[in-house]
Amino acid sequence: PKSGPEPDFTDPEKGWYWYGQDGSNGAELGIADGEKPPVSERAADVFYLHPTTYLDGVWNMPVDDAVYKRATEYYVSVEASVFNGSCRVFAPRFRQSVLAGMGFPDEGKLATDFAYADIRKAFQHYLANENKGRPFILASHSQGSLYTVRLMLEFIESKTLDPADIR
């Protein structure tokens, strides 16, 4: 399909922009280099969903689209870095909906459902393999916020998060 294969969330290089590591190369929010606690000592995680960067083309962006991948990596590095120094950052790749597609009721819903399927799998992978009962934050911007609300409704609202329940 034109949207490309689904991301492999078992592979940190292919399925994630950041996978629990320190994702930037400098100081964030007044935290000087050398003052950030090591990733292993950070008390919480953040599952971050980036904003829309795909502006034209097919309904959903292939994760390996070079032009939009570069733009997405920029937003992830700028926006998710606010959590560097306090959280392990998990930012999945997903086949985001084209910006124009979000304005069409039928096609837009199909495109956002398609993108959410990737995010849902990434979140399930994170919960089953990385969370281990740690506190976490769901953070997002723009299109990512649409999917964050869906994650909250599906996985969190009126539920307890037990890794045995998410497989």
Side-chain angles (χ1 to χ4, degrees), residues 92-112:
R93 298 179 192 276
F94 62 94
R95 294 170 292 179
Q96 63 179 290
S97 171
V98 65
L99 182 61
M102 297 183 80
F104 293 91
D106 296 330
E107 295 90 345
K109 177 155 179 22
L110 291 173
T112 57

Side-chain angles (χ1 to χ4, degrees), residues 1-7 13-14 17 50 52-74 93-99 118:
K2 291 182 179 182
S3 58
E6 87 178 24
E13 295 294 319
K14 293 180 181 175
Y17 289 104
H50 64 76
T52 304
T53 59
Y54 192 46
L55 306 175
D56 60 16
V58 296
W59 286 105
N60 291 85
M61 180 192 93
V63 292
D64 61 354
D65 183 297
V67 172
Y68 295 104
K69 181 180 174 190
R70 190 169 32 253
T72 305
E73 287 172 345
Y74 168 78
R93 298 179 192 276
F94 62 94
R95 294 170 292 179
Q96 63 179 290
S97 171
V98 65
L99 182 61
D118 286 349

Side-chain angles (χ1 to χ4, degrees), residues 31-166:
I31 302 171
D33 284 340
E35 291 184 12
K36 292 184 287 185
V39 173
S40 63
E41 294 177 13
R42 296 178 189 175
D45 295 340
V46 64
F47 189 86
Y48 171 79
L49 299 175
H50 64 76
T52 304
T53 59
Y54 192 46
L55 306 175
D56 60 16
V58 296
W59 286 105
N60 291 85
M61 180 192 93
V63 292
D64 61 354
D65 183 297
V67 172
Y68 295 104
K69 181 180 174 190
R70 190 169 32 253
T72 305
E73 287 172 345
Y74 168 78
Y75 280 104
V76 171
S77 70
V78 170
E79 293 180 355
S81 71
V82 70
F83 297 100
N84 245 352
S86 60
C87 296
R88 296 186 315 166
V89 180
F90 293 85
R93 298 179 192 276
F94 62 94
R95 294 170 292 179
Q96 63 179 290
S97 171
V98 65
L99 182 61
M102 297 183 80
F104 293 91
D106 296 330
E107 295 90 345
K109 177 155 179 22
L110 291 173
T112 57
D113 285 351
F114 188 82
Y116 179 69
D118 286 349
I119 290 163
R120 184 179 192 278
K121 286 180 183 178
F123 190 62
Q124 287 176 307
H125 174 83
Y126 160 75
L127 288 175
N129 297 284
E130 296 295 333
N131 177 260
K132 298 177 174 66
R134 293 170 53 88
F136 68 90
I137 299 163
L138 293 176
S140 56
H141 176 198
S142 185
Q143 183 176 161
S145 297
L146 171 69
Y147 308 125
T148 296
V149 169
R150 289 181 71 174
L151 287 175
M152 288 189 292
L153 291 172
E154 182 175 355
F155 289 93
I156 298 171
E157 184 69 21
S158 302
K159 297 176 183 169
T160 57
L161 283 174
D162 181 346
D165 295 336
I166 58 160

